[in-house]
Amino acid sequence: MNGKRSSEVGSGHGGKKGKKEVIAEFSDAVREESLKKQVAEAWSRSAPFCHAEAIVMDMGPFLHCVIPNFIQSQDFLEGLQKELLNLDFHEKNNDLYKFHQSDDLKKRREPHISALRKVLFEDFRTWLSDISKINLESTIDMSCAKYEFTDALLCHDDELEGRRIAFILYLVPPWDRSLGGTLDLYTVDEHFQPKQIVKSLVPSWNTLVFFEVSPVSFHQVSEVLSEEKSRLSISGWFHGPSLTRPPNYFETPLPRSPHIPQDHEILYDWINPTYLDMDYQVQIQEEFEERSEILLKEFLKPEKFAKICEALEKGDVGWNSRGPPNKRFYEKAEESKLPDVLKDCMNLFRSEALFLLLSNFTGLKLHFLAPSEEDEVEDREEGEAASAADSTEEGTSYNSSEAENNQAAISNNSEKSNIKINSEPEENEAKDESSVPTCQGELRHWKTGHYTLIHDNSKTEFALDLLLYCGCEGWEPEYGGFTSYIAKGEDEELLTVNPENNSLALIYRDRETLKFVKHINHRSLEQKKTFPHRTGFWDFSFVYFE
């Protein structure tokens, strides 16, 4: 093979006079007929195959193939790289990825890009169809991606109607595993969900990787850790008949439970007295009803919050990794083994008293004592009637009457009210079991590499999200770890909740709202400069349903 073979030859026809046509050819060794037959036979038997430095095909964890020295001419590759770097790149940033991508390359007229397009989707597609016995279509699907420091593409399977074989051609400087940017391949479990990374392919100049797109082809591009080098590649798909998918797997949701009977004293033990003030609750509810979200700073009493942080940092908590990685990756506390102060905090968020306090904060009916929509109408009618009877006396507003009524239930100073926070509703107040307010919650640990993703089976419903953050002093938004809310089918963020110490975030979402926690990148390790023994942060995450 001549590595310096010219990529430009004189053109006696076509194009403008004096122009030189740029051509590209892929590896002679791979095209050699006897080798081609051996590769085809190995593919048909689902058997691994290796031939010197020409080609390596492996079946684990799914069929993939590596061809080093894919394009014959170094001059051509250098010209191609220059054309690619002159393209306009657009930042791509959502729950799944962060990198820069060019426009679609199928109609670009730059000579080297055009020549590569021809060799891939004509010559190489023919070779690939022959060895795989798959009728690959002439559809052109390719773009250029540039990954820089902290960029990543998280776990996914590439499946989309028509995609049959994925490919990546690397145009990277000298690269090794320490720079990140590896193509990581996952095994799957019995439900065809990704399980763990078992193989990582390090990018290399002029190396082509391709793999069969299937229900098990889960992979990721690991975070790029170099601050100097860019991971440049051309990637795309050859289209053909899709493989049959197994039935969708629906994982068991987190259990929901009604409140636990603990009275108002738990609130006075734990919560900043400011938030138990009746007038302030009215203000909170007015703001929440206007924006559907609010951040309550310094929510817990300082001494309680300090004890929580101490228990978390002491390291006596058992953590379990939460997956699968195509949906989430973080650590969840094992509740049965929590230190007492953390168990007590979990009980606070599940307590009857807090359900009622959240009703006061939000206007949602999270307790049978909280006014319903019918009560709102009655209050409004009574207020209008009172105004009509005496124009000099103001009618009672819904917000203030609601907060006053609810405060009577949680205030130990209310002598007129005979209602106890842990009492049961009267017979005529009994609710259908299906409409009893419930919650689900967990204590989570977030550190470098953790994230959650929006996925096809994301259940969307009306719900109130609660987040209380711990251990995030000095945490910067550029580290990731923030919770992002978006409208279904849209990329633009509706709301971002950044981790902030001892701050309680309340967010009401509807059926058209999705959320994710942004991938925490390696910039987050800067936290260790100030807090050497800390890795990441923690949050108490609860969801409440009316």
Side-chain angles (χ1 to χ4, degrees):
M1 185 189 311
N2 180 4
K4 290 294 182 180
R5 180 175 175 176
S6 175
S7 63
E8 298 182 348
V9 296
S11 176
H13 59 276
K16 295 181 180 178
K17 186 176 180 181
K19 283 280 184 180
K20 290 185 177 181
E21 181 186 4
V22 175
I23 61 171
E25 292 181 342
F26 73 95
S27 169
D28 278 337
V30 171
R31 287 187 296 169
E32 201 272 322
E33 199 60 35
S34 63
L35 179 60
K36 183 177 171 182
K37 287 179 180 178
Q38 293 175 54
V39 176
E41 183 182 352
W43 186 302
S44 68
R45 294 189 292 109
S46 296
F49 178 82
C50 178
H51 185 277
E53 296 181 1
I55 186 168
V56 177
M57 187 165 66
D58 202 351
M59 299 297 146
F62 51 84
L63 189 153
H64 62 281
C65 191
V66 179
I67 304 177
N69 303 311
F70 179 69
I71 296 294
Q72 293 189 29
S73 168
Q74 286 298 318
D75 291 340
F76 175 85
L77 290 168
E78 290 166 9
L80 174 64
Q81 184 185 45
K82 287 178 183 176
E83 289 179 1
L84 294 172
L85 291 175
N86 282 327
L87 296 174
D88 290 328
F89 284 84
H90 312 284
E91 184 180 23
K92 308 286 284 185
N93 192 353
N94 62 13
D95 61 316
L96 184 62
Y97 49 68
K98 182 173 83 74
F99 64 97
H100 286 79
Q101 186 178 49
S102 73
D103 291 329
D104 197 319
L105 297 181
K106 69 180 177 183
K107 292 184 179 178
R108 300 296 305 192
R109 295 190 176 183
E110 290 84 348
H112 294 81
I113 293 174
S114 298
L116 180 71
R117 186 169 62 228
K118 181 178 185 301
V119 77
L120 282 173
F121 288 93
E122 293 181 21
D123 305 341
F124 185 68
R125 176 174 63 87
T126 300
W127 179 90
L128 200 50
S129 288
D130 290 344
I131 66 131
S132 66
K133 303 299 184 285
I134 299 170
N135 183 24
L136 297 175
E137 302 164 5
S138 58
T139 304
I140 295 171
D141 192 346
M142 61 185 288
S143 61
C144 182
K146 184 166 59 174
Y147 288 76
E148 297 177 322
F149 182 52
T150 74
D151 288 350
L153 171 58
L154 302 176
C155 180
H156 64 291
D157 62 9
D158 262 13
E159 283 219 304
L160 199 64
E161 189 64 35
R163 292 178 180 175
R164 188 58 193 273
I165 294 176
F167 71 88
I168 312 102
L169 175 63
Y170 295 110
L171 296 171
V172 295
W175 202 273
D176 61 49
R177 194 177 299 271
S178 69
L179 302 178
T182 54
L183 179 64
D184 299 334
L185 312 183
Y186 288 81
T187 55
V188 295
D189 62 18
E190 66 274 17
H191 304 295
F192 296 96
Q193 297 296 290
K195 193 174 180 181
Q196 63 184 14
I197 296 167
V198 294
K199 190 170 186 179
S200 295
L201 303 176
V202 179
S204 179
W205 173 265
N206 192 22
T207 293
L208 182 88
V209 175
F210 67 86
F211 59 86
E212 192 169 20
V213 176
S214 75
V216 301
S217 58
F218 287 101
H219 59 284
Q220 72 167 12
V221 176
S222 67
E223 182 183 347
V224 171
L225 305 180
S226 172
E227 297 189 52
E228 294 82 30
K229 296 182 178 183
S230 293
R231 181 190 187 273
L232 190 72
S233 64
I234 292 176
S235 58
W237 296 270
F238 296 100
H239 288 237
S242 298
L243 295 172
T244 303
R245 283 197 67 92
N248 280 339
Y249 171 66
F250 295 93
E251 56 188 340
T252 305
L254 290 175
R256 298 181 185 181
S257 57
H259 57 63
I260 55 177
Q262 280 185 290
D263 64 23
H264 57 272
E265 291 297 335
I266 194 172
L267 303 183
Y268 296 107
D269 288 343
W270 280 85
I271 295 175
N272 183 334
T274 302
Y275 295 113
L276 302 181
D277 177 78
M278 180 174 61
D279 292 333
Y280 196 42
Q281 288 176 27
V282 171
Q283 294 178 38
I284 290 170
Q285 189 184 126
E286 287 174 348
E287 182 177 340
F288 184 86
E289 288 183 337
E290 181 179 342
R291 300 171 54 188
S292 297
E293 54 92 9
I294 197 165
L295 186 69
L296 305 179
K297 300 189 177 186
E298 304 299 327
F299 184 72
L300 297 183
K301 288 183 172 181
E303 61 272 19
K304 284 290 190 183
F305 185 72
K307 287 181 179 178
I308 288 174
C309 291
E310 182 183 356
L312 289 167
E313 291 183 346
K314 196 173 179 181
D316 292 337
V317 179
W319 300 99
N320 296 318
S321 183
R322 282 267 286 147
N326 62 325
K327 295 174 183 174
R328 64 189 70 85
F329 178 45
Y330 61 86
E331 292 178 341
K332 175 185 176 181
E334 199 172 330
E335 278 199 54
S336 62
K337 299 178 182 178
L338 284 178
D340 288 344
V341 68
L342 298 179
K343 281 184 182 176
D344 292 344
C345 191
M346 295 293 283
N347 287 339
L348 166 69
F349 292 119
R350 293 190 175 108
S351 70
E352 186 170 4
L354 194 82
F355 270 68
L356 188 50
L357 183 63
L358 292 176
S359 297
N360 279 8
F361 286 162
T362 64
L364 300 173
K365 192 166 180 60
L366 296 173
H367 192 278
F368 70 89
L369 293 176
S372 63
E373 292 182 7
E374 291 78 8
D375 296 328
E376 180 181 353
V377 173
E378 288 179 12
D379 283 351
R380 189 182 300 115
E381 289 175 349
E382 288 174 6
E384 290 171 353
S387 295
D390 185 355
S391 60
T392 63
E393 184 178 337
E394 286 188 351
T396 304
S397 72
Y398 165 61
N399 282 343
S400 95
S401 68
E402 175 183 349
E404 288 168 5
N405 289 341
N406 290 356
Q407 184 65 18
I410 63 172
S411 172
N412 58 354
N413 296 321
S414 177
E415 296 179 359
K416 292 183 180 180
S417 174
N418 294 321
I419 301 171
K420 301 293 184 183
I421 191 65
N422 58 353
S423 64
E424 295 299 322
E426 298 292 337
E427 187 174 341
N428 62 352
E429 294 175 319
K431 298 184 69 175
D432 178 70
E433 187 177 344
S434 64
S435 62
V436 172
T438 58
C439 74
Q440 56 184 208
E442 53 188 358
L443 171 57
R444 308 183 295 187
H445 185 202
W446 298 96
K447 58 186 180 182
T448 307
H450 286 174
Y451 58 86
T452 68
L453 300 177
I454 295 168
H455 48 93
D456 293 342
N457 299 332
S458 294
K459 188 174 182 181
T460 53
E461 54 189 315
F462 293 100
L464 176 70
D465 291 339
L466 176 152
L467 293 166
L468 178 76
Y469 292 102
C470 309
C472 46
E473 300 96 329
W475 192 266
E476 298 291 341
E478 66 179 11
Y479 300 166
F482 52 81
T483 301
S484 182
Y485 288 81
I486 63 170
K488 190 184 291 187
E490 302 289 336
D491 284 335
E492 188 173 347
E493 291 179 336
L494 301 172
L495 172 69
T496 298
V497 181
N498 288 302
E500 188 172 336
N501 243 17
N502 197 12
S503 291
L504 187 84
L506 297 175
I507 307 98
Y508 186 68
R509 54 186 164 87
D510 59 21
R511 292 192 178 97
E512 297 301 311
T513 305
L514 302 169
K515 63 176 178 176
F516 64 90
V517 177
K518 183 64 177 175
H519 174 256
I520 298 176
N521 61 55
H522 276 68
R523 281 196 176 100
S524 64
L525 297 178
E526 293 176 12
Q527 187 190 37
K528 284 184 171 292
K529 294 178 183 177
T530 310
F531 303 95
H533 303 296
R534 183 175 295 171
T535 55
F537 63 90
W538 302 270
D539 67 18
F540 292 85
S541 172
F542 277 77
V543 184
Y544 297 84
F545 306 90
E546 289 185 287

